[in-house]
Amino acid sequence: SQEVQTYFSGIELVTIDALRINPNSDLIYYCLSSAKHELGDYENSIKDINKAIELDEGFGNYYIFKGQINRNLENFYDAIENITTGISKLDPNDSVFYGNSFSFRGDIKYYDLEDFDSAISDYNEAIKYNPSYDNFLGRASANWSLENYEAALLDFNEMIELYTDEDDEYIAFLYSSRASIKYDLEDYYGAIGDMSRAIELDKKNSTYYQDRANYKFSLDDYKGTIPDLIKAIELNSDEEQDPPLKLMLAACTNWSGNPKRALEILEESKSLFEEQYLSFLFLTAKGAINIGLNKDDELEEGLGIDTK
């Protein structure tokens, strides 16, 4: 905003005046660099932090900050090099900042470079010095990406224990994430339990109901999926998801022993399939149910559809 720009421009003017008085102050160059960084002027920000480093080569925090600037410039390998140098100059007794510096380097490896194994090594170091929620989250994400589901599950267990904020929606997200990992491990009952907890905390998230329906579906609990699918459809705001949800609802209703109601569900939602050019899916589903009822399978109508 204009107010923020005016504020940081003011800091820049003050620091320039201060440099006239003390041209060899590394702190003033750092403040100038920080102001330019906040304004998005990364190229000039890095020039000022270089000057601060030149004046005090032993202060590790300056290298860490330079790593942040280089990350913003998408110079990811330079950023890693900066942070590595900074870590070598930090005091390990300052366990929180020291540990979080490893986590910062891990974030670049994970999010920007997708070097998941190396990221995990950094998160391990971060957790050793600062076993915080955020550091477990980084490691859990990297483990999940590598399909190390057991390790990711342990990390999510730690996060759920450590998270203390009274933010029900975010706690629900943690339980839903752990449910997804349990599903990947084929622990369907455990996944249902965690997703039920997520729904208790956030009753308006359609995805949670849809996911719990999928977990029940994996157990062939077709009747159990139906209430969750109905709720997911009721809450759903993504129109592209409506046809798949309707198809699944019709299928589960059919397999629960009520093919007549399944056909009604399809007919009630026919316009959704036409709007999204999915009439072929509609006819396929309807034909499958009709075959089970020994009725005309819509073949003639289906042949008239351009499936492209």
Side-chain angles (χ1 to χ4, degrees), residues 162-183:
L162 287 168
Y163 193 77
T164 56
D165 291 357
E166 295 182 5
D167 183 345
D168 285 350
E169 286 189 14
Y170 195 78
I171 298 171
F173 160 76
L174 291 177
Y175 277 103
S176 70
S177 298
R178 191 171 71 175
S180 296
I181 295 171
K182 289 181 178 180
Y183 176 75

Short mmCIF file of all heavy atoms in Angstrom, two decimals, residues 162-183:
data_model
loop_
_atom_site.label_atom_id
_atom_site.label_comp_id
_atom_site.label_asym_id
_atom_site.label_seq_id
_atom_site.Cartn_x
_atom_site.Cartn_y
_atom_site.Cartn_z
N LEU A 162 1.67 -30.67 19.41
CA LEU A 162 2.33 -29.39 19.63
C LEU A 162 1.44 -28.19 19.34
O LEU A 162 1.67 -27.11 19.88
CB LEU A 162 3.59 -29.29 18.76
CG LEU A 162 4.79 -30.15 19.18
CD1 LEU A 162 5.84 -30.17 18.07
CD2 LEU A 162 5.40 -29.60 20.47
N TYR A 163 0.45 -28.36 18.45
CA TYR A 163 -0.34 -27.19 18.02
C TYR A 163 -1.27 -26.77 19.15
O TYR A 163 -2.12 -27.53 19.60
CB TYR A 163 -1.14 -27.53 16.77
CG TYR A 163 -1.73 -26.31 16.10
CD1 TYR A 163 -0.92 -25.47 15.33
CD2 TYR A 163 -3.06 -25.97 16.25
CE1 TYR A 163 -1.43 -24.35 14.73
CE2 TYR A 163 -3.59 -24.85 15.64
CZ TYR A 163 -2.77 -24.04 14.88
OH TYR A 163 -3.28 -22.92 14.27
N THR A 164 -1.11 -25.52 19.60
CA THR A 164 -1.85 -25.04 20.76
C THR A 164 -2.82 -23.91 20.44
O THR A 164 -3.62 -23.52 21.29
CB THR A 164 -0.89 -24.56 21.86
OG1 THR A 164 -0.02 -23.55 21.32
CG2 THR A 164 -0.04 -25.71 22.37
N ASP A 165 -2.76 -23.36 19.23
CA ASP A 165 -3.66 -22.25 18.89
C ASP A 165 -5.11 -22.74 18.86
O ASP A 165 -5.38 -23.88 18.46
CB ASP A 165 -3.31 -21.65 17.52
CG ASP A 165 -1.98 -20.92 17.54
OD1 ASP A 165 -1.38 -20.83 18.63
OD2 ASP A 165 -1.54 -20.45 16.49
N GLU A 166 -6.03 -21.89 19.26
CA GLU A 166 -7.45 -22.26 19.25
C GLU A 166 -8.06 -21.93 17.89
O GLU A 166 -8.99 -21.13 17.76
CB GLU A 166 -8.18 -21.53 20.38
CG GLU A 166 -7.71 -21.97 21.77
CD GLU A 166 -8.47 -21.27 22.89
OE1 GLU A 166 -9.42 -20.53 22.58
OE2 GLU A 166 -8.10 -21.47 24.06
N ASP A 167 -7.54 -22.57 16.88
CA ASP A 167 -8.00 -22.37 15.51
C ASP A 167 -8.58 -23.69 15.03
O ASP A 167 -7.87 -24.56 14.52
CB ASP A 167 -6.83 -21.93 14.63
CG ASP A 167 -7.24 -21.63 13.19
OD1 ASP A 167 -8.36 -22.04 12.80
OD2 ASP A 167 -6.46 -21.00 12.46
N ASP A 168 -9.89 -23.85 15.20
CA ASP A 168 -10.53 -25.13 14.90
C ASP A 168 -10.36 -25.54 13.45
O ASP A 168 -10.17 -26.73 13.16
CB ASP A 168 -12.02 -25.07 15.24
CG ASP A 168 -12.27 -25.13 16.74
OD1 ASP A 168 -11.30 -25.41 17.48
OD2 ASP A 168 -13.41 -24.91 17.17
N GLU A 169 -10.41 -24.58 12.54
CA GLU A 169 -10.30 -24.93 11.12
C GLU A 169 -8.92 -25.50 10.81
O GLU A 169 -8.78 -26.43 10.02
CB GLU A 169 -10.59 -23.72 10.23
CG GLU A 169 -12.06 -23.35 10.17
CD GLU A 169 -12.35 -22.29 9.13
OE1 GLU A 169 -11.48 -22.02 8.28
OE2 GLU A 169 -13.45 -21.72 9.18
N TYR A 170 -7.88 -24.93 11.44
CA TYR A 170 -6.54 -25.43 11.16
C TYR A 170 -6.31 -26.78 11.84
O TYR A 170 -5.66 -27.67 11.26
CB TYR A 170 -5.47 -24.44 11.60
CG TYR A 170 -4.13 -24.78 10.98
CD1 TYR A 170 -3.86 -24.45 9.65
CD2 TYR A 170 -3.16 -25.47 11.68
CE1 TYR A 170 -2.66 -24.80 9.05
CE2 TYR A 170 -1.95 -25.82 11.09
CZ TYR A 170 -1.71 -25.48 9.78
OH TYR A 170 -0.53 -25.84 9.20
N ILE A 171 -6.84 -26.95 13.05
CA ILE A 171 -6.73 -28.26 13.70
C ILE A 171 -7.46 -29.30 12.86
O ILE A 171 -6.98 -30.44 12.70
CB ILE A 171 -7.30 -28.20 15.13
CG1 ILE A 171 -6.51 -27.20 15.99
CG2 ILE A 171 -7.26 -29.58 15.78
CD1 ILE A 171 -7.12 -26.92 17.33
N ALA A 172 -8.59 -28.92 12.29
CA ALA A 172 -9.31 -29.83 11.39
C ALA A 172 -8.45 -30.21 10.20
O ALA A 172 -8.43 -31.37 9.76
CB ALA A 172 -10.61 -29.18 10.92
N PHE A 173 -7.72 -29.22 9.67
CA PHE A 173 -6.80 -29.50 8.55
C PHE A 173 -5.75 -30.53 8.95
O PHE A 173 -5.42 -31.43 8.17
CB PHE A 173 -6.14 -28.20 8.09
CG PHE A 173 -4.88 -28.41 7.30
CD1 PHE A 173 -4.93 -28.83 5.98
CD2 PHE A 173 -3.63 -28.21 7.89
CE1 PHE A 173 -3.76 -29.05 5.25
CE2 PHE A 173 -2.46 -28.41 7.17
CZ PHE A 173 -2.53 -28.84 5.85
N LEU A 174 -5.22 -30.42 10.17
CA LEU A 174 -4.22 -31.38 10.62
C LEU A 174 -4.79 -32.80 10.69
O LEU A 174 -4.16 -33.76 10.24
CB LEU A 174 -3.68 -30.96 12.00
CG LEU A 174 -2.81 -29.71 12.04
CD1 LEU A 174 -2.41 -29.39 13.48
CD2 LEU A 174 -1.57 -29.87 11.18
N TYR A 175 -5.99 -32.91 11.25
CA TYR A 175 -6.62 -34.24 11.33
C TYR A 175 -6.95 -34.77 9.94
O TYR A 175 -6.78 -35.97 9.66
CB TYR A 175 -7.89 -34.18 12.18
CG TYR A 175 -7.62 -34.28 13.66
CD1 TYR A 175 -7.66 -33.17 14.49
CD2 TYR A 175 -7.31 -35.51 14.24
CE1 TYR A 175 -7.40 -33.26 15.84
CE2 TYR A 175 -7.05 -35.62 15.61
CZ TYR A 175 -7.10 -34.48 16.40
OH TYR A 175 -6.83 -34.59 17.74
N SER A 176 -7.40 -33.91 9.04
CA SER A 176 -7.72 -34.37 7.69
C SER A 176 -6.46 -34.81 6.95
O SER A 176 -6.49 -35.78 6.19
CB SER A 176 -8.44 -33.27 6.90
OG SER A 176 -7.57 -32.20 6.58
N SER A 177 -5.34 -34.11 7.19
CA SER A 177 -4.07 -34.50 6.57
C SER A 177 -3.61 -35.85 7.10
O SER A 177 -3.17 -36.72 6.34
CB SER A 177 -3.01 -33.44 6.83
OG SER A 177 -3.37 -32.20 6.26
N ARG A 178 -3.73 -36.02 8.42
CA ARG A 178 -3.33 -37.32 8.99
C ARG A 178 -4.25 -38.44 8.47
O ARG A 178 -3.80 -39.56 8.24
CB ARG A 178 -3.34 -37.27 10.52
CG ARG A 178 -2.67 -38.49 11.14
CD ARG A 178 -2.49 -38.35 12.63
NE ARG A 178 -3.74 -38.43 13.37
CZ ARG A 178 -3.83 -38.44 14.69
NH1 ARG A 178 -2.72 -38.34 15.43
NH2 ARG A 178 -4.99 -38.51 15.30
N ALA A 179 -5.52 -38.10 8.28
CA ALA A 179 -6.44 -39.09 7.72
C ALA A 179 -5.98 -39.52 6.33
O ALA A 179 -6.05 -40.71 5.98
CB ALA A 179 -7.85 -38.51 7.65
N SER A 180 -5.52 -38.56 5.53
CA SER A 180 -5.06 -38.89 4.17
C SER A 180 -3.85 -39.82 4.21
O SER A 180 -3.73 -40.72 3.38
CB SER A 180 -4.70 -37.60 3.42
OG SER A 180 -5.83 -36.78 3.24
N ILE A 181 -2.96 -39.58 5.18
CA ILE A 181 -1.79 -40.46 5.30
C ILE A 181 -2.22 -41.86 5.72
O ILE A 181 -1.73 -42.87 5.19
CB ILE A 181 -0.79 -39.87 6.31
CG1 ILE A 181 -0.23 -38.54 5.80
CG2 ILE A 181 0.35 -40.85 6.57
CD1 ILE A 181 0.59 -37.79 6.81
N LYS A 182 -3.16 -41.94 6.66
CA LYS A 182 -3.65 -43.26 7.08
C LYS A 182 -4.33 -43.98 5.92
O LYS A 182 -4.21 -45.21 5.78
CB LYS A 182 -4.61 -43.10 8.27
CG LYS A 182 -3.92 -42.70 9.56
CD LYS A 182 -4.88 -42.56 10.72
CE LYS A 182 -4.15 -42.20 12.02
NZ LYS A 182 -5.07 -42.06 13.16
N TYR A 183 -5.01 -43.22 5.09
CA TYR A 183 -5.62 -43.81 3.90
C TYR A 183 -4.55 -44.37 2.97
O TYR A 183 -4.68 -45.48 2.44
CB TYR A 183 -6.47 -42.76 3.18
CG TYR A 183 -7.08 -43.25 1.88
CD1 TYR A 183 -8.17 -44.11 1.89
CD2 TYR A 183 -6.57 -42.84 0.66
CE1 TYR A 183 -8.73 -44.57 0.70
CE2 TYR A 183 -7.12 -43.28 -0.54
CZ TYR A 183 -8.20 -44.14 -0.51
OH TYR A 183 -8.75 -44.59 -1.68
#
